[in-house]
Amino acid sequence: MKCPRCDSETIRKMVDAPVDNAWEVYVCDTCFYSWRSTEDPHVHAKFKLKPEDIPNLQVIPPVPPLEK
Amino acid sequence: MAKVYKDLREFLETLEAEGQLVRIKDEVLPEPDIASAGRAASNLKNGPAVLFEKVKGYKYSVVTNVHGSWPNHALMMGMPKDTPVKEQFMELNRRWDKYPVPPKVLSREEAPCKENVVDKDINLFEILPLYRINDQDGGFFISKASVVTADPDDPGNFDKMNVGTYRIQVKDKDRIGIQALAMHDIAVQLEKAERKNEKVPIAICIGNNPLVTFMASTPIGYSQNEYEFVGALQDGVPCEIVKADLCDHIYVPAGSEVVLEGYIEPRVREVEGPFGEFPGSYSGARNQCVVRITHITHRTNPIYESLYLGIPWTEIDYLMALNTSVPLYKQIKEGFPELVALNAMYMHGHVAIISTKCRYGGYGKGIAFRLLSTPHGMPYTKIVIVVDEFVDPFNLEQVMWALASRVKPDKDVAIIPNCPGMPLDPSSYPAGMHTKMIIDATTPVPPEPNPRAVELLEPPAKTAEYEEIIRNLLKQMQ
Ligand SMILES: [Zn+2]
């Protein structure tokens, strides 16, 4: 299984439904995209991510320097 | 004394009794039903709250659109549900001046939010029916929590404790992402802690007294305490709070349905978003803060309160309407008592309408400049319309009449380039810069010439009396 957003194979099951095993939720450990097995995830081209671009995303808020 | 609600449940009872809450009893899938109902309810005039009793795979119920109409907003304030918006605005202004009303601190035993405790094997899905709000959101978001943090350099200072609303993305059973924009109070606290590489204790309170949620999304000063404002808006009745379990310096609403406790991991950023935001479009993926949840308290059979955001108007627009307008009004009124009312409820104040009496020529434009130099108005407000004191700024038909009959564009419209802007506004470019526009639709007063002065039409003598007669006749027909 591939991540619908970043195409990585770092997918794991996050959780089972608390009742009746009605569904599972999956998450990508690379980009944190998550979805439920009852959904049909389709990420718009505009929101696709390449794993190598993740470190270059804007950081909010910026991390301040460490105090000595 | 106005009616006051201790918690979400009491408010839901009133909404239901007033015909402003509907129940969906059939089981539904989390997607797309819950978000669709939120959108649908705000599409309707006077839309109700919608309570889903059974969501497939989950244990508990979820309610949406609790604040999502003017009747619900009036009931939140303990006013009749048909109270006009301008009257709600005036009443809020009156109660605002009661600040500060110290909260009442309950013991742990007295606080309903402590009925149940989970402190191992944390799993948010066991407690909250989490769901996707908009199709391209990067995950399931918690859109309507009141988030409590303290000042790391002055933790015992009650005034600097912050209660705010921030978007939250669920990343794991016990781990969430949170957006702390640099302009927000929580970011000030985070920066102090991150310099020392310290965790920031946090309590995320879900399902609250409607005025707690209202104040959590109100722009007030850093050292003004939200709970003391809740007491003021409850017309002097203190807000009931209780100490958090893990941190002695954090207090949570005693009646919260669910309280998630934990800490912000210092100096960590991970991908968060996209998320459908209040301007009616997505804000994209960024590297943002992460919170570890280590302890949950909740009421028995907790109700998950959530909010839909879409192209305005949706619930968030009702929630951020008058609580944006009132602080701005108070700031301008201090120096300009001629101010009558201020409507800053379009996209959190991007468009604002000011009603004022004009003391001398050019006064309308001057008041607009004052709005554009308030702490909130400077980045947010880009279009200001100024109308006469007899025009109700919350009545858009009247405002359009003022534009139609009063404005001479070559002298009454001013464009001011290269000013501060709000980055989430997609027309701001570069993000954070914007142009301001002032439209002065007031009647000219000296020394400004008014070469074609007119006599305004007066309502016939018994108009008010007939409004009452017609209203009563309509009620009898229902
Ligand atoms: Zn991914």
Side-chain angles (χ1 to χ4, degrees):
Chain A
M1 194 159 42
K2 273 188 179 175
C3 171
R5 170 159 71 182
C6 76
D7 297 327
S8 303
E9 291 182 357
T10 53
I11 303 297
R12 69 182 165 86
K13 184 165 77 176
M14 185 201 289
V15 70
D16 286 307
V19 178
D20 294 340
N21 285 316
W23 38 255
E24 307 91 51
V25 174
Y26 294 91
V27 63
C28 168
D29 277 335
T30 301
C31 78
F32 300 96
Y33 184 85
S34 63
W35 71 99
R36 200 186 314 269
S37 55
T38 48
E39 295 184 286
D40 176 23
H42 51 284
V43 175
H44 289 177
K46 184 171 179 143
F47 295 131
K48 287 271 191 182
L49 265 184
K50 289 192 192 123
E52 59 269 29
D53 290 340
I54 289 175
N56 303 324
L57 292 175
Q58 191 187 353
V59 174
I60 299 178
V63 181
L66 258 183
E67 257 171 32
K68 290 281 150 52
Chain B
M1 186 65 70
K3 184 167 184 179
V4 166
Y5 311 96
K6 274 193 192 319
D7 51 27
L8 176 67
R9 293 175 188 209
E10 282 193 11
F11 186 47
L12 297 184
E13 274 172 32
T14 295
L15 290 179
E16 192 162 25
E18 295 276 353
Q20 285 298 130
L21 178 145
V22 296
R23 289 172 183 270
I24 310 277
K25 292 177 184 288
D26 292 339
E27 185 176 77
V28 300
L29 270 174
E31 295 85 18
D33 286 63
I34 307 173
S36 304
R39 173 77 257 185
S42 43
N43 289 349
L44 302 176
K45 190 174 165 65
N46 302 333
V50 182
L51 182 89
F52 286 93
E53 293 186 351
K54 281 159 78 181
V55 183
K56 195 172 178 60
Y58 285 120
K59 293 181 185 168
Y60 302 120
S61 59
V62 51
V63 66
T64 189
N65 208 50
V66 168
H67 288 78
S69 65
W70 289 119
N72 288 22
H73 195 280
L75 291 168
M76 168 185 79
M77 294 178 60
M79 302 176 82
K81 65 178 178 181
D82 57 356
T83 307
V85 183
K86 188 176 174 187
E87 270 177 49
Q88 295 190 42
F89 170 83
M90 290 302 182
E91 178 62 11
L92 265 177
N93 273 299
R94 186 186 69 77
R95 295 188 198 172
W96 192 267
D97 293 335
K98 295 197 171 182
Y99 170 85
V101 175
K104 183 177 168 194
V105 179
L106 301 192
S107 69
R108 201 178 183 287
E109 293 68 38
E110 293 171 305
C113 70
K114 307 284 192 187
E115 280 169 4
N116 302 276
V117 178
V118 185
D119 55 9
K120 59 174 192 297
D121 301 327
I122 299 288
N123 179 356
L124 299 177
F125 292 79
E126 289 278 345
I127 316 289
L128 302 168
L130 301 162
Y131 65 98
R132 192 179 308 274
I133 297 176
N134 277 298
D135 182 67
Q136 292 296 306
D137 288 352
F140 307 148
F141 277 77
I142 298 173
S143 59
K144 202 183 182 184
S146 297
V147 177
V148 192
T149 48
D151 187 317
D153 288 346
D154 194 5
N157 188 329
F158 188 75
D159 291 337
K160 290 186 184 170
M161 184 170 62
N162 180 56
V163 187
T165 304
Y166 307 99
R167 74 189 211 199
I168 291 168
Q169 179 179 353
V170 176
K171 297 188 152 176
D172 209 335
K173 287 183 283 190
D174 62 348
R175 215 156 168 269
I176 58 176
I178 190 165
Q179 180 174 68
L181 293 179
M183 66 184 81
H184 291 149
D185 288 349
I186 194 173
V188 175
Q189 299 174 339
L190 178 71
E191 199 212 317
K192 293 179 183 182
E194 288 196 316
R195 284 182 182 278
K196 295 181 277 191
N197 201 23
E198 286 174 1
K199 295 172 178 173
V200 181
I202 190 168
I204 297 164
C205 311
I206 299 166
N208 294 305
N209 163 347
L211 282 170
V212 168
T213 309
F214 183 82
M215 274 317 304
S217 55
T218 300
I220 55 173
Y222 183 68
S223 52
Q224 290 181 310
N225 181 274
E226 283 83 0
Y227 294 130
E228 292 179 344
F229 264 110
V230 173
L233 298 188
Q234 294 185 155
D235 214 6
V237 178
C239 176
E240 293 184 349
I241 58 175
V242 63
K243 198 154 72 72
D245 283 358
L246 299 188
C247 175
D248 289 343
H249 305 302
I250 289 181
Y251 287 81
V252 301
S256 283
E257 294 291 327
V258 178
V259 179
L260 313 177
E261 294 191 43
Y263 55 87
I264 306 179
E265 296 179 353
R267 311 185 69 79
V268 174
R269 302 290 187 273
E270 281 175 359
V271 182
E272 190 267 9
F275 181 61
E277 269 286 2
F278 73 91
S281 46
Y282 287 99
S283 90
R286 313 265 194 280
N287 284 315
Q288 307 215 39
C289 297
V290 178
V291 175
R292 173 80 63 184
I293 305 298
T294 56
H295 184 92
I296 301 178
T297 65
H298 67 91
R299 299 179 69 145
T300 301
N301 293 322
I303 304 168
Y304 177 42
E305 185 190 14
S306 178
L307 158 157
Y308 176 78
L309 326 69
I311 292 181
W313 273 46
T314 57
E315 182 179 359
I316 194 167
D317 299 290
Y318 290 99
L319 187 58
M320 299 197 306
L322 296 188
N323 67 5
T324 308
S325 305
V326 171
L328 291 172
Y329 173 83
K330 291 289 182 197
Q331 289 162 41
I332 301 175
K333 182 87 174 171
E334 216 176 270
F336 302 92
E338 292 82 4
L339 185 68
V340 172
L342 191 154
N343 171 357
M345 54 190 203
Y346 306 101
M347 235 172 80
H348 209 359
H350 278 77
V351 177
I353 304 158
I354 302 175
S355 162
T356 183
K357 197 170 163 41
C358 290
R359 209 191 313 164
Y360 44 78
Y363 207 76
K365 266 200 195 104
I367 295 273
F369 283 124
R370 177 71 188 94
L371 171 60
L372 293 172
S373 61
T374 57
H376 182 85
M378 188 178 286
Y380 279 81
T381 305
K382 66 176 173 188
I383 298 175
V384 189
I385 300 170
V386 191
V387 296
D388 284 314
E389 75 275 17
F390 51 82
V391 175
D392 174 357
F394 295 97
N395 181 327
L396 294 187
E397 285 86 355
Q398 285 189 20
V399 173
M400 287 296 139
W401 166 76
L403 293 182
S405 66
R406 292 289 178 275
V407 174
K408 189 166 183 286
D410 62 324
K411 76 171 176 65
D412 290 328
V413 177
I415 305 279
I416 305 111
N418 217 37
C419 296
M422 167 61 183
L424 282 180
D425 169 3
S427 67
S428 159
Y429 187 83
M433 296 299 295
H434 226 314
T435 305
K436 308 291 190 186
M437 176 164 76
I438 299 170
I439 306 176
D440 183 356
T442 59
T443 307
V445 298
E448 187 185 354
N450 187 11
R452 293 190 58 202
V454 291
E455 277 301 308
L456 284 174
L457 304 179
E458 296 281 350
K462 288 170 85 172
T463 301
E465 206 176 302
Y466 267 90
E467 278 184 19
E468 196 55 32
I469 291 171
I470 295 168
R471 204 173 290 132
N472 286 331
L473 285 170
L474 283 172
K475 266 186 195 155
Q476 286 167 28
M477 285 166 66
Q478 280 170 2

